[in-house]
Amino acid sequence: MRALILPDLEAISHKAAEIFLHLSKQYISSANRFVVALSGGTTLRRFYALLGSDIFRNAIEWSQIHLFWVDERCVPKEHEESNYKLAFDLLLSKVPLSASNIYRIRGEESPDRAASEYEKDMLGFFGTSGFPVFDLIILGMGEDGHTASLFPGSESIKEKTRLAMPVYMMKPKFNRVTLTLPVLNNALHIVFLVAGKSKAHIVKSVLVGDKESKQFPASLINLPNDNIQWLIDREAAGI
Ligand code: 6PG
């Protein structure tokens, strides 16, 4: 696990876009495709906007990019809370990525149906043997230490066989669908973007790996090749 502390959200967003560009070139030249899963939340907004901006848009071979989602809120794709809408407004609507390369979670369906349809899409794309291998997964982390839609104490954390599953939320107001830990921990690269002082306590606990960290789902993200890059702004690093 590598942790890079940068001055602010702009700097971590720019670094994440550089990593996306670098890995896209690496995997497109070796495998002729680059398969990525995107998260939602506010921290990632600037990163998506940068990928859709002149600086990066023209440098990325969008015809070889395949986009999936880490999680989704169970709302229609036009809804303000939709992770698909977030990526569409800031990125997809700005780049030449064909609809056939976009595999969104259909939040407008019931959580169970959306989860099983998404599993079918992944099995259709990756094949049926073993867990999907994403080239890159982009993650955020909540103030409670959740990542994707894996919340502290939730049953979904214990899932061992499913690829995606519904998450019924007590509060806030919408249910979710999330990739499961076996899929997240099967990625070739994971990049966390974390900003803001409200997360400093959790960041420290997770990076140090202290006793408390076990309750934070973000600490359960472990890759055999250790290719986890934490991009943290000074506030979230408690500096
Ligand atoms: C979501 C995300 C979630 C997010 C964290 C951080 O759908 O909400 O996928 O895991 O990354 O909640 O969100 P913020 O960046 O808004 O703090």
Side-chain angles (χ1 to χ4, degrees), residues 39-43 71 73 83 140-142 146-149 176 199:
S39 284
T42 53
T43 308
D71 63 345
R73 293 90 177 271
N83 286 347
M141 184 185 73
H146 83 262
T147 192
S149 285
R176 294 162 173 247
K199 298 179 182 177

Side-chain angles (χ1 to χ4, degrees), residues 50-62 94-96:
L50 280 168
L51 285 182
S53 70
D54 295 351
I55 320 166
F56 290 95
R57 177 181 51 230
N58 306 329
I60 294 169
E61 226 181 310
W62 293 101
K94 319 275 186 212
V95 297

Side-chain angles (χ1 to χ4, degrees), residues 72-234:
E72 183 58 284
R73 293 90 177 271
C74 293
V75 292
K77 67 179 179 12
E78 303 77 17
H79 191 286
E80 276 315 306
E81 293 288 346
S82 161
N83 286 347
Y84 171 79
K85 181 176 170 26
L86 174 84
F88 180 83
D89 292 349
L90 296 170
L91 173 58
L92 306 181
S93 58
K94 319 275 186 212
V95 297
L97 185 64
S98 77
S100 58
N101 288 26
I102 297 173
Y103 303 82
R104 75 179 179 91
I105 300 172
R106 289 183 277 285
E108 65 271 22
E109 308 275 2
S110 74
D112 282 297
R113 188 179 165 81
S116 49
E117 285 184 356
Y118 192 46
E119 288 183 301
K120 283 195 208 109
D121 289 349
M122 284 189 277
L123 293 170
F125 181 87
F126 288 102
T128 54
S129 60
F131 289 106
V133 180
F134 285 97
D135 300 322
L136 172 64
I137 294 184
I138 303 290
L139 294 176
M141 184 185 73
E143 292 171 14
D144 59 358
H146 83 262
T147 192
S149 285
L150 299 169
F151 292 88
S154 65
E155 282 308 303
S156 50
I157 294 172
K158 302 183 189 124
E159 180 59 39
K160 294 277 181 285
T161 55
R162 294 196 66 175
L163 311 184
M165 60 186 300
V167 179
Y168 292 95
M169 307 289 290
M170 297 308 161
K171 58 176 186 9
K173 50 195 175 307
F174 37 77
N175 295 317
R176 294 162 173 247
V177 171
T178 188
L179 288 181
T180 58
L181 271 176
V183 175
L184 296 173
N185 285 335
N186 207 37
L188 298 177
H189 298 267
I190 285 183
V191 173
F192 274 97
L193 287 86
V194 183
K197 60 177 172 294
S198 63
K199 298 179 182 177
H201 165 66
I202 310 269
V203 165
K204 186 159 175 262
S205 173
V206 171
L207 293 186
V208 170
D210 61 19
K211 231 169 45 295
E212 193 198 4
S213 68
K214 292 292 162 270
Q215 64 181 298
F216 306 130
S219 73
L220 303 173
I221 302 294
N222 295 301
L223 296 186
N225 58 17
D226 217 15
N227 274 342
I228 300 175
Q229 177 70 67
W230 284 77
L231 300 176
I232 307 165
D233 75 351
R234 290 174 65 83

